[in-house]
């Protein structure tokens, strides 16, 4: 019997590695001698670099980069398969890097993300996977582009500082200084939102408030983005602003599509492809996945969605162990997850559940495998 474990972490309580260990322990208790494979998975958000480096036996690199407001930060990215890099923009330009009382959306920049890319390019990396969730920025990616050598000019041809406060002043873009290795490289952007750059569902109006934008900021930045979008279209000859995902990470999606010719892809699909997941689960009798909270969002590119979909293609039963279930959690049944088991085994305060997360998970894992054994006996 072959069982594959492919969970996401339970944020703040259990790592995906520890979950795999607990699943293996209970699987072998109920099915002595079974073959188990544990493969921690990420949806391309926080923790993607750790997952990829661990699974591929890659290495970590550290670079001192500019944080969102220009302060130096130690940003980590991963190198795998010799010439591939996994970069999380949040490592240099993420919201957690800025204290809540210091948020300044008009001046927050993705420059540090560009510095991470430059560092990898200088090391010979030519294939990039860039996770763009969790940003503190709304600069349309001009900071990142500036780090790569792009210049943004005003009507007089003078260079502007690459900050959101100057978006409305951009009249032209000088690409002549772009890092020469960019044209030799491939960029995949892991993006799970479909927001365009502009409008009520765009970068500024949807994501700006969580980054500190008030009503005046939103109007100011949206006007800047509208100008920037026109200059992008004039420069590159295409309407990048309207592409689904262009508004991701404060418009970094648009910037990466424009300046490094990146293609956008779902994070979970990119991660599973890197992990060769389809090959890993070949011949499996059962796949076990999971996440901290399963709800209506789970079918929009979360780990159980990707894992369940892959298992469904090979007609492999798949079950999920989750910390809790929210609205429309059962929607996941359409995507290859056949059953959901919660770790909570009685009425309890959330604090108690978090404090006892490992014990509760272990108990749920045993319940799951006992139920699977019953099903096998019934089938006989």
């Amino acid at each position: 019997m072959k069982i594959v474990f492919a969970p996401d972490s339970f944020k703040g309580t259990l790592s995906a590695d520890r979950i795999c260990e607990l699943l293996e322990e209970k699987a072998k208790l109920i099915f002595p001698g079974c073959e188990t494979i544990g493969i921690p998975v990420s949806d391309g958000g926080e923790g993607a670099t750790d997952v990829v480096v661990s699974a591929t036996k890659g290495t970590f690199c550290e670079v001192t980069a500019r944080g969102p407001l220009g302060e130096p930060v130690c940003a980590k990215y991963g190198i795998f398969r010799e010439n591939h890099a996994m970069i999380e923009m949040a490592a240099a330009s993420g919201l957690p890097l800025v204290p809540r009382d210091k948020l300044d959306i008009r001046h927050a920049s993705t420059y540090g993300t560009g510095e991470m890319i430059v560092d990898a390019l200088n090391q010979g990396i030519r294939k990039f996977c860039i996770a763009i969730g969790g940003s503190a920025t709304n600069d349309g990616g001009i900071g990142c582009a500036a780090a790569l050598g792009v210049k943004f000019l005003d009507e007089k041809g003078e260079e502007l500082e690459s900050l959101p406060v100057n978006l409305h002043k951009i009249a032209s873009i000088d690409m002549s200084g772009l890092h020469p290795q960019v044209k030799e490289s491939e960029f995949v952007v892991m993006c799970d939102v479909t927001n365009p750059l502009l409008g009520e569902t765009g970068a500024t109006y949807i994501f700006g408030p969580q980054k500190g934008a008030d009503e005046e900021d939103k109007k100011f930045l949206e006007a800047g983005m509208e100008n920037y979008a026109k200059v992008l279209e004039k420069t590159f000859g295409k309407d990048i602003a309207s592409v689904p995902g262009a508004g991701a990470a404060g418009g970094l999606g648009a910037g990466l599509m424009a300046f490094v010719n990146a293609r956008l892809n779902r994070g979970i699909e990119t991660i599973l492809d890197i992990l060769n997941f389809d090959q890993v689960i070949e011949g499996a009798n059962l796949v076990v996945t999971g996440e901290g909270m399963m709800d209506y969002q789970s079918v929009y590119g979360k780990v159980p969605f990707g894992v369940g979909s892959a298992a469904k293609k090979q007609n492999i039963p798949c079950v999920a162990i989750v910390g809790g279930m929210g609205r429309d959690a059962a929607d996941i049944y359409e995507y290859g997850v056949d059953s959901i088991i919660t770790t909570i085994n009685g009425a309890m305060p959330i604090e108690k559940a978090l404090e006892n997360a490992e014990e509760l998970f272990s108990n749920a894992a045993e319940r799951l495998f006992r139920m699977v054994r019953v099903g096998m006996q019934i089938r006989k």
Side-chain angles (χ1 to χ4, degrees):
M1 184 176 188
K2 176 181 176 181
I3 308 175
V4 176
F5 313 133
D8 196 354
S9 62
F10 283 28
K11 288 183 181 178
T13 56
L14 290 171
S15 69
D17 283 308
R18 183 55 181 153
I19 287 172
C20 286
E21 292 172 355
L22 295 171
L23 287 168
E24 180 180 25
E25 176 186 327
K26 294 303 181 180
K28 296 202 171 196
L29 173 68
I30 306 303
F31 300 108
C34 68
E35 175 189 358
T36 61
I37 298 175
I39 181 166
V41 181
S42 165
D43 61 9
E46 181 183 354
T49 301
D50 292 338
V51 164
V52 168
V53 168
S54 175
T56 62
K57 295 180 171 55
T59 57
F60 290 105
C61 290
E62 291 185 349
V63 57
T64 300
R66 292 190 200 176
L69 299 180
E71 72 288 2
V73 298
C74 182
K76 180 180 72 172
Y77 67 91
I79 294 178
F80 63 102
R81 296 177 189 160
E82 296 183 359
N83 71 334
H84 291 65
M86 172 63 67
I87 292 176
E88 295 179 45
M89 69 88 65
S93 311
L95 194 57
L97 297 174
V98 185
R100 189 70 193 172
D101 62 345
K102 301 292 185 182
L103 291 174
D104 185 355
I105 195 168
R106 296 194 185 203
H107 295 88
S109 170
T110 53
Y111 194 93
T113 296
E115 290 181 301
M116 295 171 72
I117 296 172
V118 168
D119 188 79
L121 286 169
N122 291 342
Q123 292 196 52
I125 302 301
R126 297 294 179 265
K127 294 183 184 294
F128 291 80
C129 296
I130 304 178
I132 62 172
S135 75
T137 58
N138 198 83
D139 71 350
I142 62 173
C144 178
L148 289 166
V150 178
K151 293 181 180 179
F152 298 91
L153 312 176
D154 64 14
E155 290 183 347
K156 297 179 181 179
E158 296 180 356
E159 185 176 359
L160 294 164
E161 191 174 2
S162 55
L163 294 172
V165 72
N166 290 325
L167 284 168
H168 69 288
K169 298 180 182 178
I170 298 174
S172 62
I173 299 172
D174 180 359
M175 296 285 289
S176 63
L178 181 68
H179 196 296
Q181 272 67 58
V182 166
K183 293 182 180 179
E184 303 173 4
S185 304
E186 297 177 15
F187 294 83
V188 174
V189 173
M190 295 186 286
C191 172
D192 291 327
V193 302
T194 57
N195 304 76
L197 184 64
L198 305 174
E200 293 181 0
T201 61
T204 302
Y205 279 100
I206 293 297
F207 305 112
Q210 69 192 44
K211 304 169 188 181
D214 58 23
E215 289 302 315
E216 186 176 341
D217 290 327
K218 286 189 286 186
K219 291 177 182 178
F220 175 80
L221 291 170
E222 182 70 5
M225 283 291 193
E226 288 173 353
N227 174 67
Y228 173 56
K230 291 176 184 177
V231 178
L232 285 179
E233 186 168 4
K234 180 177 69 175
T235 304
F236 298 98
K238 52 187 176 181
D239 181 15
I240 296 171
S242 297
V243 176
L252 180 58
L256 290 171
M257 283 190 284
F259 302 112
V260 303
N261 197 31
R263 62 183 175 88
L264 306 187
N265 196 32
R266 267 184 168 163
I268 185 62
E269 293 174 358
T270 303
I271 295 293
L272 292 181
D273 182 57
I274 292 171
L275 300 179
N276 295 316
F277 192 71
D278 287 342
Q279 289 73 40
V280 170
I281 65 173
E282 280 184 2
N285 301 100
L286 177 68
V287 174
V288 182
T289 186
E291 62 180 338
M293 172 60 73
M294 182 167 284
D295 57 21
Y296 70 96
Q297 300 179 81
S298 298
V299 300
Y300 295 104
K302 298 296 185 181
V303 167
F305 164 83
V307 171
S309 298
K312 186 175 184 178
K313 285 190 295 184
Q314 298 189 38
N315 295 314
I316 302 169
C318 178
V319 293
I321 298 180
V322 301
M325 293 173 64
R327 176 166 62 89
D328 296 329
D331 288 354
I332 200 70
Y333 296 150
E334 295 296 319
Y335 300 94
V337 174
D338 299 297
S339 185
I340 305 168
I341 303 293
T342 60
T343 61
I344 303 300
N345 57 10
M348 65 181 70
I350 184 64
E351 294 78 14
K352 182 178 179 181
L354 295 174
E355 289 172 5
N356 296 282
E358 185 165 312
E359 178 184 348
L360 290 169
F361 188 95
S362 183
N363 180 277
E366 183 169 340
R367 282 188 276 122
L368 166 65
F369 292 124
R370 286 183 177 277
M371 185 59 69
V372 170
R373 185 172 63 183
V374 169
M376 294 171 65
Q377 292 169 343
I378 292 173
R379 189 174 181 181
K380 290 179 181 179

